[in-house]
Amino acid sequence: ETFLLKGLELEPLSPFYNVVVCQHYYYDKRWTDAVKFCDQSMQIEPGYFLAMKRFTWIYAMQNRYDLLARNDFGINSIDEMRRNRLTRPLADGDVNAYWQGNLEDRLANKGKRSSPTAIASYYAMLGDSEKALDLLEEAERIDSDQLRFLYADPIWDSLRRELRYKELIQKIGLGDGRFEEESKRSTKLQ
């Protein structure tokens, strides 16, 4: 954390460094701090993709789907949510249908192959541990660099007790599979 903040002190107008600090706080579930630095990134560069992506997951982890809809879709009201096929389930309080619809939309996008890790995140949000782990194991087989955040990212909290997850963490060298200090995951990686 100290080194990240020092880097930001040297480059305060870098949207990237602000997002890196945001991501660090996101991994530690320090939502207010994470939002602050992603906000700063967006003030420097409006629409900055990395900040918007991190906001998506901050809001999802907090179950703030109103803010997620505004961030991802530019939607500011329940009526607007109902008019958008991807956010309609949120207007009705059906979070699983939201994730299912977004997963189907992602899989149907033939123009862009999504990474196994990205698709696994949707299955994790849906509570389908088996499919999520199948895809994470596929990501490991193809040596995906996205797995380097597998230990830290709260997206995977629902998988942490699974033996396959623990074995995968060990296999890719991110730890021994024990998670005693979940609130300090990112700081362990420094």
Side-chain angles (χ1 to χ4, degrees), residues 112-124:
K112 181 180 181 223
R113 167 140 165 52
S114 295
S115 73
T117 308
I119 299 300
S121 67
Y122 288 96
Y123 283 115

Side-chain angles (χ1 to χ4, degrees), residues 46-97:
Y48 187 52
F49 170 75
L50 293 175
M52 291 183 71
K53 180 179 175 185
R54 190 53 49 214
F55 269 132
T56 296
W57 289 107
I58 290 168
Y59 297 146
M61 295 298 105
Q62 295 181 294
N63 294 314
R64 292 297 314 269
Y65 289 98
D66 56 327
L67 296 176
L68 186 146
R70 186 180 70 202
N71 181 69
D72 288 10
F73 302 97
I75 292 173
N76 292 306
S77 71
I78 296 291
D79 288 336
E80 287 180 271
M81 275 190 205
R82 285 198 172 96
R83 287 192 293 269
N84 182 304
R85 71 175 178 78
L86 291 175
T87 59
R88 188 173 302 121
L90 295 178
D92 299 330
D94 190 348
V95 173
N96 275 349

Side-chain angles (χ1 to χ4, degrees), residues 57 99 102-109 112-126 128 131-136 138-139 146 155-156:
W57 289 107
W99 288 111
N102 278 272
L103 171 63
E104 290 167 4
D105 190 61
R106 191 92 182 241
L107 293 173
N109 185 350
K112 181 180 181 223
R113 167 140 165 52
S114 295
S115 73
T117 308
I119 299 300
S121 67
Y122 288 96
Y123 283 115
M125 294 305 289
L126 285 164
D128 191 335
K131 285 186 182 174
L133 288 163
D134 288 346
L135 286 157
L136 290 173
E138 178 185 335
Q146 291 178 345
I155 292 169
W156 313 116

